[in-house]
Amino acid sequence: MQVELRDIRKYFGRVKANDGISLVLKPGKIYALVGENGAGKSTLMKILSGYQPPTSGEILLDGQPVRFHSPADALAKGVGMLYQDPLDMPPFRVIDNYLLGRSNSVRLNYKEARNELEGLSKRYGFEIDVHATIDSLSMGERQQLELVRLLAGGAQVLILDEPTTGISAEQKEILFESMRKMTREEGKTVILVSHKLEEVQELCVYAYVLRRGQLVGEQELPCLNEQLVEMMFGQVPKRSQRPPFAVREPVLELQDVNIETYQITVPDINLSVRAGEIFGLAGLEGSGQRLVMQACSGLVAPAKGRVRLGGQDVTGWSYHRLQKFGMAYVPAGRLEEGLVAGLTLTEHLVLARPDKKFFVDWKENRQEMAERITTYQIVGRPESTADQLSGGNQQRLLFSLLNTPLKLLLLEHPTRGLDVRSSDYIWQLLYKRRDHGTAILFISADLDEIIEHCDRIAVFSGGVMSRILDARETTAEELGHFIGGQV
Amino acid sequence: MTEAQTSDRSWLIRLWPLVPIVAALIVTSALLMLFDASPAVAYRAMWDGAFGGQDKFLSVLAFWVPLLLASAGLVVTFTAGLWNIGIEGQIILGAIGASWVALNVTGPAWVLIPLEIGAAMLGGALWAALSAVLKTRGKVNEIFSGLALNNLAIILTNYLISGPWQPPEGGSFRGTTPFQSAALLPRLFESRFSPLSLILAFAAVIAVYYVLRGTTWGLKLKALGKNPYSAYLLGVSSERETILAMMFCGALAGLGGAVRVLSWFDSLRQSISGGIGFLALLVVMLAAYRILWVPIIALFFSIVLNGSITLQLKTQLHSALGGILTGLMVLFVLLFGSAKQLGIGGKPGTAAGVPDVMPDELPAGEIPPELMASSYPEVDVEAIHE
Ligand SMILES: Nc1ncnc2c1ncn2[C@@H]1O[C@H](COP(=O)(O)OP(=O)(O)OP(=O)(O)O)[C@@H](O)[C@H]1O
Ligand SMILES: [Mg+2]
């Protein structure tokens, strides 16, 4: 199906999220939509998928002007979208969720639905257990389920908004393969929104570049990364250097820590992270690294073993007590864990600051937030609500809420959804923290990021932690072996 | 939506609570005509019932006060995402607390009345704390514990009336002996209305306004109501704030109970609350959880309900008409949902000129049902339904 967007505009008050965008997408091809954080990518795609109407402009499908009333309406007309934020679903079984999204009749036809679901999964190489409950699925599996639902709904045009943040390398390969199949064999139109230019180059044939709500360039792919980056930012941002690290005293010490959940057991973790050190935890999602991090933050109680922070035994301390003691945790989910949709940036700041007074000094807090907005380069105002920010800007907001000084900083996918320039910038800020003696422990799905930024790395596989590797002497291949469980 | 459009429509958002009221009046009129009754006559009779004489209007005010107190408390619990169905029981416990002082302590009014009020607020707060602790520690949904505690409160009243507190001439199952006159709130012109109670109720409304708008605690409750897990990660202790919010509401409800025994009646009666707690739930829903609308809506409810008492005397119509009218209003609120659901205005705070200091969202989802399947994660609703 050929898609044409004509002079699409979307204004939110004074913000021109989309400012007259026109483009054409032909069937059988994978397109890339790239641009810096807040450029207007998600806004444009939500318009194309019927989630929100444009302020003005036209959408044409196969030359026919259309108007969508809802995402369901758009899907009925052939356009489906996988949203940027992780999907939030009720704790149903997979099959129930699927039926809920699919059938319009009163009677539920389980057998038919199951066949359909399994057939489609098989065609695209997905592995979905229809009887699992949704909350036991990994992010990648939820994504596959949602894709199947869109395909079954008759999507001819598929939009994927940053689909590869937070899924494993394996799931990413499966996803890419399915996207190729959809375009090459089935003639569907696929649009990929992504900040990872390597993926874009590997997968897409044509890129549209947005900046500040406008289309500022288009480009046949593959091309040089610099060409895309220059269009995105107006210039090629220079990569900054990583400052050297001096070994200091240990801050976080785990001693024979065992964690048990009904899904996985993480045995005997011994780990020591020093002041100013950046320590990376690699591994497939659900291999235990997140549990270790949550044990350090007090969100999960270890079944056995001791946790020490700054020399103090903090085993069994609650999250809030640790927070006051100088621990901070930046979770992976933005709007569902970490930020509150509907609260303004200033309100978030008030909640996050340690020295709370009974009456809120709104003026002072608004000023402080305005300062942090400048420091962290957030596109938004103190009185914007968190859900009005673009994905990358939500991530920056999370960082801006961190207090100083910190003994320990725990990060999950710290640069998820950030464009090249901002992730570089965030790392600069993190380096500054390490200079002040903060120990940083972080999880990332991106092996290159781990190798580039860490001092030491541990790899998790099926709950078991590998020996500790020196980041300067390891490669992505070696980490890959450990992830696969080979030692 | 352009800015111009948004500000054009902002008046509609402000006046939103009036829409269900008008709709309910229209439907009730249609119903009346269906039964060959004249709506004009009925409304006229209702009007006379509420305003046709000083005593009638004072009665409207006297009914208004406890309703206002309970509603103000509920705005706080709703903000924190709690369904405090147990409010009815909290009113009753407040009434019991005040009655205990009135029956057991003797002294001048300036000693008795503060004591009674203190005991009432304490009684309501503790009863609410029970619900809260059952939720945070026992994982019992506050709706269920609230319902159970409501029944328990009624049983307790009946026991007191027919047992330890029964009048010397024998248990009548109707109430205790009238309290000593120093124990009663000073009332205006032989009516049931006490100006002092109205001052207290206004103080409560103002307190709730400032708590939600200007205090860290109010902000914590707002965060808790919208997303408990994120709020927790941001440092909000859900257990502490849940208990405090419930106790705050319980204290105001208890004060309402004191007003019922000390000015509406003069003794502890069998159905002391008269359903004011449930009515308050409706008031707050109709006010879309905005405290500044609460006094107006509560007054309106009081007028309709008091007015329909005379309705039966003057016309052949049953006094249930008042109930029908208020019930319909709530139905319309639930049907229409919040203004946003109809696509009037944008997100809270984005609409030009609408201050986002009040919790102005209905817990009824703002997500169109078609979206539920693919569930775009904007739900701040789940917390309330859990
Ligand atoms: N509902 C809204 N209300 C107000 N402003 C909004 C709203 N949604 C988006 N915006 C603004 O529109 C601009 C574009 O946002 P959008 O989400 O499209 O960016 P994006 O290109 O997807 O960025 P990212 O890469 O960070 O996800 C941002 O400045 C954002 O703050
Ligand atoms: Mg986006």
Side-chain angles (χ1 to χ4, degrees), chain B residues 287-310:
Chain B
Y289 312 95
R290 283 175 292 190
I291 184 69
L292 293 183
W293 272 98
V294 160
I296 303 162
I297 308 253
L299 181 62
F300 184 74
F301 269 45
S302 179
I303 291 170
V304 167
L305 292 171
N306 277 284
S308 43
I309 296 170
T310 16

Side-chain angles (χ1 to χ4, degrees), chain A residues 163-205:
Chain A
T164 58
T165 48
I167 66 172
S168 70
E170 236 168 55
Q171 287 167 334
K172 191 164 97 181
E173 271 322 305
I174 297 175
L175 179 70
F176 284 3
E177 212 34 63
S178 69
M179 286 163 72
R180 291 198 185 98
K181 194 162 194 165
M182 285 171 212
T183 46
R184 288 197 194 136
E185 293 175 18
E186 298 163 10
K188 296 192 163 71
T189 313
V190 174
I191 308 165
L192 172 73
V193 179
S194 178
H195 288 296
K196 296 184 189 158
L197 298 182
E198 294 72 30
E199 295 172 7
V200 165
Q201 301 276 13
E202 177 192 336
L203 202 62
C204 307
V205 296

Side-chain angles (χ1 to χ4, degrees), chain A residues 422-482:
Chain A
S422 347
S423 55
D424 192 57
Y425 186 69
I426 289 291
W427 275 111
Q428 290 314 307
L429 293 169
L430 291 174
Y431 288 145
K432 225 175 266 167
R433 293 219 177 238
R434 83 190 259 170
D435 289 344
H436 296 130
T438 304
I440 299 176
L441 187 63
F442 90 97
I443 296 180
S444 175
D446 185 344
L447 295 183
D448 294 324
E449 182 178 40
I450 290 205
I451 290 179
E452 191 184 337
H453 297 289
C454 287
D455 300 305
R456 290 187 298 159
I457 302 168
V459 185
F460 282 77
S461 173
V464 180
M465 190 177 84
S466 71
R467 69 187 160 83
I468 291 164
L469 306 160
D470 187 327
R472 283 164 306 185
E473 285 159 17
T474 192
T475 57
E477 284 76 48
E478 194 186 2
L479 294 185
H481 284 304
F482 279 110

Side-chain angles (χ1 to χ4, degrees), chain A residues 46 51 70 83 88 101 146 149 319-320 323 335-341 347 351 356-358 360 362 388, chain B residues 1 213-216 219 222-223 226-227 229-230 232-236 350 370-371 373-378:
Chain A
K46 284 187 199 165
Y51 180 79
S70 67
Y83 292 103
D88 174 50
E146 181 65 8
R149 194 184 69 79
Y319 173 80
H320 288 140
Q323 210 174 29
L335 278 182
E336 59 289 348
E337 36 176 37
L339 301 178
V340 183
E347 288 175 322
L351 289 173
K356 293 188 189 80
K357 297 194 198 69
F358 184 74
V360 182
W362 287 113
Q388 287 169 0
Chain B
M1 192 178 303
R213 189 195 146 101
T215 68
T216 310
L219 182 58
K222 198 170 157 187
K226 285 174 185 289
N227 184 339
Y229 189 57
S230 284
Y232 180 82
L233 290 181
L234 281 168
V236 178
T350 49
E370 322 86 71
L371 254 181
S374 67
S375 277
Y376 196 72
E378 255 182 71

Side-chain angles (χ1 to χ4, degrees), chain A residues 41-43 84 161-162 193 195 390-392:
Chain A
K41 307 180 294 294
S42 298
T43 304
Q84 176 174 11
D161 195 352
E162 298 190 34
V193 179
H195 288 296
S390 79

Side-chain angles (χ1 to χ4, degrees), chain A residues 6-11 17-22 56 213-215:
Chain A
R6 278 200 196 147
D7 198 31
I8 299 285
R9 287 167 201 273
K10 180 74 183 177
Y11 299 161
N18 287 166
D19 194 15
I21 297 175
S22 305
S56 70
Q214 292 174 335
L215 188 69

